[in-house]
Amino acid sequence: MTNLLLVLAVLDIASMTTLIIIYRIPPLSRRLQATAVVQRYWRPGWPDLRTMIKPLVLVLMGVLLGLTYLL
């Protein structure tokens, strides 16, 4: 169980790092927004992908704190 929690924590940190890199490099964010997968599933009423990164990182930080609490 501990190994699973550690793996989930590492994946959470990796996803937060990736989101922060995408946020810091605007051309990368625009290129990601232009991909077919994002255009297919992203609804017109939703905010821009770049503005959603900060709340996503905040949620992932809460997940990491929960995982740390479980350890």
Side-chain angles (χ1 to χ4, degrees):
M1 183 69 174
T2 304
N3 290 340
L4 176 65
L5 291 175
L6 286 174
V7 167
L8 289 174
V10 168
L11 288 175
D12 189 45
I13 292 170
S15 63
M16 283 192 294
T17 304
T18 305
L19 285 172
I20 289 172
I21 289 171
I22 290 171
Y23 181 77
R24 297 278 181 192
I25 304 172
L28 186 60
S29 177
R30 277 185 248 122
R31 189 173 293 166
L32 182 67
Q33 185 78 30
T35 59
V37 174
V38 173
Q39 288 181 352
R40 184 179 309 141
Y41 294 111
W42 202 263
R43 299 187 189 266
W46 290 356
D48 187 32
L49 179 67
R50 194 161 189 264
T51 59
M52 291 296 294
I53 289 178
K54 285 184 180 181
L56 282 173
V57 170
L58 184 63
V59 167
L60 289 173
M61 190 64 195
V63 169
L64 184 62
L65 288 174
L67 289 172
T68 308
Y69 178 73
L70 287 175
L71 281 174

